[in-house]
Amino acid sequence: MKIALISPNDKGSYRNANFLNENLGLGYLWAYLEERGHTITLCDARFHNYTPNQAKALLENEGFDVLGFSIWTGEGAEWCQDFLNIFLPMDNHNHKKIHVILGGYFPTLQPERSFKMLPQTTAIVMGEGEIVFDELLNTLMSQQDFRNIKGIAYYDTQQNKVITTERAKILEDLDTLPWPKRYLIDKMGEYDEVYMEGSRGCVFCCTFCAIRPFIGIGSGSPWRHRSARSVVEEIKHLKKQNPTLKTFRFIDSDFIGPSEHARALEFADLVKQEVPGIKFHIEGRAVSISKSKNLLQKLKEAGLFRVYLGVESGSQKILNKMNKQTTVQENIDALAVLNEVGVDCTYGFIMFTPWTTEEDIDENVKFLKNVGNIQMNKFFTELLLIPNTAAYKMARRDFPIEIKDDDRTYYTYPSLSPEVGRVRKIAKIFEKKQTDFMNRLWFIHRGIRNAHRRNLPETKQYESASSNLFLKIFDFCWKQAKETSIIEKNIVQHCMEHFHGEINQFLDHLKQKDLLKISSYTDEFQHNVS
């Protein structure tokens, strides 16, 4: 069959819109389906910044049998809606000749909304897509009834409702998958992070996380890994295609995993022997990182330069609500181990949840002040209520939740106190209406991460200064929210005016050190000093 795989143009936030990266999920699908005889065309509308009309012009004369969409967010679903309404309108006779297949987090977790928004849809592939999508394509190609295939959702016109079939068994041996097709490698360079997948799933059950609902565990382990040999061979292959590639980012939620460290140690040895000089970035769990000092030292010798931890909160009450299965002290210990080993760390943090009180915010600020290495958006991050997650179900039971007006992927909730509500409003104004200001703070953080990558001696000094700056900005807003009656938009304006000079001075210094580059493909961040 002739298939178009489409990644919609959902640019996301100011923090990720500038990065050069590939849709790795579609890369895996492309390789898997092509290996089985299908003809694939990929359209990455996000990378090319295509409008629906531009994507239509690119694809309309190709005679596709199937359009496959990888949708992560409501923004992406809306782009797909606009695209299909002009490419395949419901009143056009061609709409029944071309099958529309959806995949990704948004349609898997919200199938009813997906069919309502995209009525041209034939079926949704639920969860990991390679095997189910291939089976669905073969069934459509032979014009057989696809409704009994495991792992799909479809709209039953007779019952006037969405039917979800039993989930398919997840793939256990990831080494049986072909390596993903790459389509941006030749554009990348030493500043870019090449996405790699070393494992899938997670053994933990955090209430807010969508991984388990997405996978839909029926049988098999929720965490599966590729062999160290397979991963290293793929890195070698990519380096052969583009020798300038230097940095690889593993998108796994837990690179090390729950088992013994033999695989990670083998990976470290193979990298040192066969691809020396590369750098790589992993994600991990605090409970395992805090007990893995020797492993981290081995990985650092092989090129590990950064670890991302899902810390999430400085309040034990909130960690328990999240079912993080960790303690505040274990988070502190994990960050201390990384600091001792000399590996840079970034971490996830959620300031606001449905259960957050003023005391929790104060505990969060105390924690951030203690551990340092702060990114400004950590002060403003809200827990996203994703349909079908445990947190969504808990909050819906306790609060009158509603869809987010400015996002439409997730649900939001009321605040437990007026003061918490006010600082949340301030955060939203910064994040949604003052993106230029937030972008400048984000580039300070990025500049310091680049200093880490280059091992500059001033790095710790930069990190301490930026953490102090971000703490002062939040403290300014938090005090104003609690102690004054000034309206929120004016608090934001006063804050920006108060810190304008200090921010520009910091950016100027980082620029002089050539630390504001974020990609080999994009220009460096430009800022105007008034």
Side-chain angles (χ1 to χ4, degrees), residues 21 123 189 273-274 279 319 331 333 357 373 376 518 524:
N21 52 53
Q273 295 166 15
E274 301 182 19
K279 292 181 178 292
L319 289 177
N331 283 329
D333 292 344
T357 64
N373 188 9
M376 186 65 217
I518 62 166
E524 70 177 14

Side-chain angles (χ1 to χ4, degrees), residues 17 23 161 197 220 233 317 327 353 424 472 494 515:
N23 187 318
K161 67 177 183 178
E197 182 179 76
E233 288 298 323
K317 181 195 80 179
T327 65
T353 75
R424 284 178 68 192
K472 286 191 295 183
H494 294 164
L515 293 173

Side-chain angles (χ1 to χ4, degrees), residues 305-324:
F305 76 101
R306 182 173 300 151
V307 173
Y308 174 89
L309 288 180
V311 169
E312 315 310 1
S313 182
S315 162
Q316 190 62 51
K317 181 195 80 179
I318 299 299
L319 289 177
N320 293 342
K321 279 284 188 181
M322 294 175 172
N323 193 34
K324 286 293 295 182

Side-chain angles (χ1 to χ4, degrees), residues 354-355 385 390-401 412-413:
W355 308 280
L385 292 178
Y392 168 83
K393 295 172 184 177
M394 291 163 57
R396 189 172 66 172
R397 181 191 63 210
D398 298 338
F399 306 100
I401 67 172
T412 189
Y413 38 85

Side-chain angles (χ1 to χ4, degrees), residues 23 147 172:
N23 187 318
R147 292 175 296 179
E172 291 285 344

Side-chain angles (χ1 to χ4, degrees), residues 475-526:
D475 186 61
F476 181 97
C477 296
W478 184 217
K479 284 183 176 178
Q480 293 283 306
K482 289 191 295 183
E483 299 172 6
T484 74
S485 58
I486 301 173
I487 61 174
E488 289 81 6
K489 69 176 183 179
N490 288 344
I491 293 174
V492 169
Q493 189 62 41
H494 294 164
C495 178
M496 293 192 298
E497 293 170 356
H498 185 80
F499 291 99
H500 175 77
E502 190 171 352
I503 291 168
N504 279 342
Q505 186 177 8
F506 210 140
L507 284 168
D508 276 343
H509 187 77
L510 295 175
K511 183 177 177 62
Q512 291 168 13
K513 293 287 186 176
D514 192 32
L515 293 173
L516 297 184
K517 187 81 172 175
I518 62 166
S519 170
S520 301
Y521 184 75
T522 61
D523 294 332
E524 70 177 14
F525 173 64
Q526 301 293 328

